[in-house]
Amino acid sequence: MIVTKRIAAVAAAVGLALSGFAGTASAAPAATTDLRLIAFNDFHGNLQPPAGSSGRVTLPNGTTVDAGGAAYLAAHVARLRGQAPNSLVLAAGDNIGASPLTSALFHDEPTVEFMNKIGTDASVIGNHEWDEGYAELLRVQFGGCHPTDGCQFHQPYRGARFPFLGANITFDNGLPAVLPVTVKFVDGIPVGIIGVTLKDLPSVVTPEVVKGFKFGDEVQALNRTSRLLDLAGIRTQVALVHQGDSTEGGGPDDCRTLPGPARQIATAASPSIDAFFTGHSHQQYNCVVTDPAGKPRPLIQGASFGRLLSVIDLKIDRKSRDVVRTATVAHNEVVTRTITPDAGVQALVDEAVAKAGPIANRQVGTITADLVRAAAPSGESPLGDVIADGQLAATQSNQAQIAMTNPGGIRTDLTYTGSPAGEGNGVVTYGEAFAVQPFGNIMQTITLTGAQLKTVLEQQWQPQPNGTTITRFLQVSSTLNYTWSQSGTQGNRVSGITVGGQPVDPAGAYRVSVNNFLAAGGDGFTELAKGTNLTGGPVDLDAFAAYLTANPNLAPPAPTRVTVIP
């Protein structure tokens, strides 16, 4: 706990960490200093170029371009840095966790080494950085071998050379649990970088890993930390926010965002903050919002998996040490695969692939066409159907009648041509299956009444404080059918529920298999936490792989389980 106490003491005392210099001093005095901020978000350990739709960026005209891959991202970062006299590289969270096998097999140590190689200066903590709890986060930050698996990638693992930030993360006693802010100097001018994670983080991780911690309001934490920077005379301030908005489409630099939490934060937080990098929602947008003082500032997000780099160019007044807001320029840069990849990072990736190969390349099944996670208008997806069917098959000894899984647990498509590490031509490797289901959640079977089952399905529509509704469609096994109405009101959208072809009895008892995240009420499905007679099952990945093995030449199921009506 020495490290823990050190973090808490430093953060409580001064609220910031001072770091080294970025860039070099100008040769001659000038009225302003230029600073380029280069950021990525939701990388999720995608060291190799991601496959399928997860490896493409949609352009303004609706066409797509292949994008992503750590070695290409590194090359683009180097190019962007070479164009600017001063630059900082930042990350908006979820760099690790929910990662493909080449990173996850080594507890994401290769991804942290990659981030070190490209000179990452700071990252906010995302919900997936918290997947394995606080102690593992500290290990990832400061180094050391995993307490169970040891050091399997490099001996020793030396940790991150950049700070993980979380101004709204405290212990239950109110003391900071991690650093809230770091400060970099550019031509002698201090630049404050504040990090806040989503206040709803406890709802998207298992309850055990957040015991003893509080995740406070994002705006309050930003304002509190910004005031500390103001008092210290630090006028240039940047926010890394692991929270994001949805979009209505468009290209990387379009701003067709729906009203959402990121915009709400960026318009309400301290006017001293000059720019907002966001994440979590895996969307691409480049917006300008107005701060409480009526001045413009950028709000940007760069999709996910290293496909985009969000770039904000600032001009800083050397006298006031503050940003000239009217001169700010922002854009999202596509991480194309048409440039020469960075050799050093490619060597790191190749090493991770080679070390993971004996496990990753083992064949577990075959498919006849892509199994995609993209949903039909009903909310049902081919890949979701297969995963739920596999979970039902794996829990038959628990007398399971239906299975349901959360869409956030399905991380990528299963493609017929395979991933860069796969065999292709319909062969599914363990590594590809792992990329789809990387969390290692445990299957659990619970008993629900028919009335509770309906409540669970109604909880797929979740009202938000700002008046909007978030929809999280559960993926269901073939034994469950229902209809939902687009015009239905909250709590009254779902009808015609059947299990095994029979209408559901509200007073009847049904055995339902879900993963342990959902069983604890995760993703807002609080009714599932009221289930009774809990019986454990296999790891969700094992259930998925076993189903693929038992059903060779698996074809995409028809989306007939859920019906949507006006």
Side-chain angles (χ1 to χ4, degrees):
M1 291 299 292
I2 294 175
V3 170
T4 303
K5 291 178 180 178
R6 183 175 68 192
I7 291 176
V10 171
V14 299
L16 51 84
L18 297 178
S19 302
F21 288 79
T24 57
S26 301
T32 61
T33 289
D34 292 335
L35 172 60
R36 168 165 284 183
L37 305 172
I38 307 166
F40 57 96
N41 59 275
D42 299 276
F43 184 71
H44 288 292
N46 277 262
L47 297 171
Q48 295 177 278
S53 61
S54 297
R56 294 191 290 268
V57 167
T58 301
L59 302 177
N61 63 3
T63 63
T64 62
V65 59
D66 291 343
Y72 295 108
L73 188 148
H76 281 280
V77 166
R79 178 181 56 81
L80 289 166
R81 283 190 135 166
Q83 297 171 352
N86 308 295
S87 60
L88 297 172
V89 177
L90 309 171
D94 278 6
N95 315 304
I96 61 176
S99 305
L101 194 66
T102 48
S103 183
L105 189 64
F106 310 107
H107 298 282
D108 283 309
E109 293 168 18
T111 293
V112 176
E113 290 195 24
F114 152 68
M115 294 178 68
N116 288 341
K117 279 183 175 292
I118 64 172
T120 304
D121 292 286
S123 175
V124 66
I125 293 168
N127 50 290
H128 285 289
E129 271 86 6
W130 208 272
D131 276 343
E132 296 184 47
Y134 184 64
E136 175 64 2
L137 175 63
L138 291 183
R139 188 192 73 83
V140 170
Q141 171 76 86
F142 296 108
C145 295
H146 190 273
T148 302
D149 298 330
C151 284
Q152 295 183 333
F153 188 61
H154 285 161
Q155 175 72 265
Y157 168 64
R158 300 187 182 279
R161 295 200 294 266
F162 55 90
F164 287 102
L165 307 176
N168 60 333
I169 305 175
T170 65
F171 296 106
D172 277 345
N173 62 10
L175 287 175
V178 296
L179 291 171
V181 62
T182 188
V183 176
K184 292 285 182 177
F185 287 87
V186 177
D187 282 354
I189 299 172
V191 178
I193 304 162
I194 310 169
V196 293
T197 195
L198 68 161
K199 64 182 178 183
D200 295 327
L201 185 147
S203 71
V204 292
V205 298
T206 53
E208 293 80 11
V209 299
V210 292
K211 287 180 180 177
F213 298 90
K214 293 181 179 179
F215 299 83
D217 181 81
E218 302 97 336
V219 173
Q220 291 177 12
L222 286 167
N223 290 350
R224 181 173 61 247
T225 311
S226 177
R227 281 195 297 271
L228 288 173
L229 293 175
D230 287 339
L231 289 172
I234 300 171
R235 305 303 179 200
T236 297
Q237 301 179 18
V238 178
L240 304 177
V241 181
H242 192 69
Q243 179 59 284
D245 295 339
S246 297
T247 68
E248 297 173 323
D253 285 323
D254 282 329
C255 180
R256 302 182 189 177
T257 58
L258 303 170
R263 179 176 288 269
Q264 191 173 26
I265 292 166
T267 54
S270 168
S272 295
I273 300 173
D274 299 293
F276 284 80
F277 292 98
T278 65
H280 188 57
S281 59
H282 293 205
Q283 304 294 311
Q284 56 183 27
Y285 52 77
N286 178 14
C287 302
V288 176
V289 298
T290 303
D291 71 18
K295 293 183 179 179
R297 56 188 177 189
L299 170 70
I300 195 167
Q301 183 177 163
S304 61
F305 306 152
R307 291 174 289 167
L308 292 175
L309 286 166
S310 297
V311 182
I312 298 179
D313 289 311
L314 303 177
K315 282 191 178 295
I316 305 172
D317 186 288
R318 295 191 61 83
K319 184 175 181 181
S320 69
R321 296 186 167 190
D322 204 352
V323 171
V324 181
R325 292 275 187 92
T326 54
T328 297
V329 178
H331 77 281
N332 275 319
E333 185 93 358
V334 179
V335 179
T336 59
R337 303 176 193 169
T338 56
I339 66 171
T340 302
D342 181 275
V345 171
Q346 187 63 59
L348 174 73
V349 174
D350 291 343
E351 181 183 1
V353 169
K355 287 182 175 180
I359 296 174
N361 294 331
R362 176 170 58 86
Q363 180 175 330
V364 296
T366 51
I367 56 178
T368 63
D370 291 352
L371 292 176
V372 300
R373 58 178 178 159
S378 64
E380 184 181 351
S381 80
L383 185 53
D385 285 353
V386 168
I387 290 171
D389 287 346
Q391 293 178 348
L392 178 63
T395 52
Q396 284 301 292
S397 61
N398 296 343
Q399 290 77 51
Q401 296 167 274
I402 59 177
M404 301 186 293
T405 195
N406 53 309
I410 306 172
R411 304 307 299 183
T412 190
D413 300 336
L414 202 58
T415 59
Y416 180 79
T417 54
S419 71
E423 298 294 331
N425 299 321
V427 172
V428 180
T429 64
Y430 184 79
E432 291 165 345
F434 186 97
V436 173
Q437 292 259 272
F439 292 110
N441 286 324
I442 306 299
M443 293 307 302
Q444 297 179 334
T445 306
I446 56 177
T447 298
L448 297 177
T449 66
Q452 287 179 307
L453 178 58
K454 183 178 187 300
T455 298
V456 169
L457 296 176
E458 294 285 0
Q459 287 182 335
Q460 294 175 118
W461 294 269
Q462 300 172 8
Q464 303 300 299
N466 63 4
T468 62
T469 298
I470 292 177
T471 305
R472 292 189 173 102
F473 283 116
L474 294 167
Q475 302 301 298
V476 302
S477 62
S478 61
T479 51
L480 176 63
N481 295 87
Y482 67 92
T483 297
W484 66 271
S485 172
Q486 294 173 324
S487 59
T489 57
Q490 186 63 34
N492 295 285
R493 290 185 173 92
V494 175
S495 61
I497 307 172
T498 64
V499 173
Q502 298 300 311
V504 163
D505 177 1
Y510 299 88
R511 295 289 283 165
V512 181
S513 290
V514 293
N515 60 47
N516 60 303
F517 169 69
L518 281 175
D523 268 353
F525 291 97
T526 55
E527 192 68 20
L528 287 172
K530 301 176 184 178
T532 59
N533 302 318
L534 187 149
T535 305
V539 173
D540 55 2
L541 172 61
D542 293 342
F544 182 42
Y547 189 76
L548 291 168
T549 300
N551 294 272
N553 297 315
L554 190 64
T560 57
R561 306 176 188 191
V562 182
T563 303
V564 57
I565 60 175

